[in-house]
Each structure stands twice: as structure tokens, then as C-alpha cells.
Amino acid sequence: MKSDVMSPQNLTLKESRDVSAPAEKVFEAFRGGDIFQFTGASQITFDFVEGGLFELMFHDRGSISGRFLAITNQKRVAVSWNVTGFGRADEFSYVAF
């Protein structure tokens, strides 16, 4: 009997969301770190340059760490990140606008 179940390594999920703010405001929220403040993280470090790293620590719960993959001034930010802890399986995600 053949199984058609996909393994997680072969699965790609794409999601889009509309944000009721101009790209420039979203860009500034990343550049200034405001986007990270909204998460409620207890400790935030980030280096907003292409290839720069960021890390959000959530006291005794978990962490989110990632990298700024591409930055186009006032227009685009591409980010990848990993989530560990929070009582669930680890995950990897990517976002660009």
C-alpha cells in the first residue's frame, strides 16, 4: 500500500497578510526595533543590516532568533527565523515585504 503523506521536509506553506500601513512605516518598525517590542520579549538584540542577526528571549519560555536576509531602504525587509521552546516543536519561518 502506497502512502501519499508528505514529510515535513517537502512541505512549503505560503501565507500573505495585508498590513494597513505603508511599506515605509513597516520598514521603520523593523529598523528601529519596534516590531520586536510588540512581541513582549524580555530581552531583544538585533543588528539591522543585511546578514545581521536578531534574538528575542522570553524569560523561561523560549526564544526566537533569526537573520535579516535582504534590506531595501524604505521598501523591503526579508527575514528568516527559528523558534524554540514555548512548549511546542521548533519551527523555521521566512517573511518578506
Side-chain angles (χ1 to χ4, degrees):
M1 178 192 258
K2 183 180 175 188
S3 173
D4 290 330
V5 176
M6 297 166 84
S7 69
Q9 294 83 6
N10 297 330
L11 180 63
T12 300
L13 174 66
K14 293 187 179 187
E15 177 182 346
S16 67
R17 293 185 186 189
D18 291 329
V19 176
S20 58
E24 296 83 10
K25 284 203 174 224
V26 177
F27 183 89
E28 289 302 324
F30 272 101
R31 180 172 29 201
D34 294 340
I35 199 102
F36 301 125
Q37 295 292 331
F38 296 135
T39 67
S42 54
Q43 182 180 357
I44 299 168
T45 57
F46 70 98
D47 183 17
F48 188 72
V49 297
E50 279 192 17
L53 303 176
F54 64 88
E55 184 171 36
L56 295 87
M57 302 297 294
F58 298 82
H59 184 70
D60 293 332
R61 295 184 331 189
S63 65
I64 300 172
S65 60
R67 179 178 305 274
F68 295 101
L69 302 174
I71 298 171
T72 304
N73 193 31
Q74 299 295 316
K75 293 185 180 188
R76 182 173 190 261
V77 177
V79 181
S80 66
W81 70 88
N82 296 297
V83 178
T84 57
F86 303 99
R88 59 188 220 190
D90 293 355
E91 69 178 62
F92 171 81
S93 301
Y94 166 86
V95 66
F97 76 91

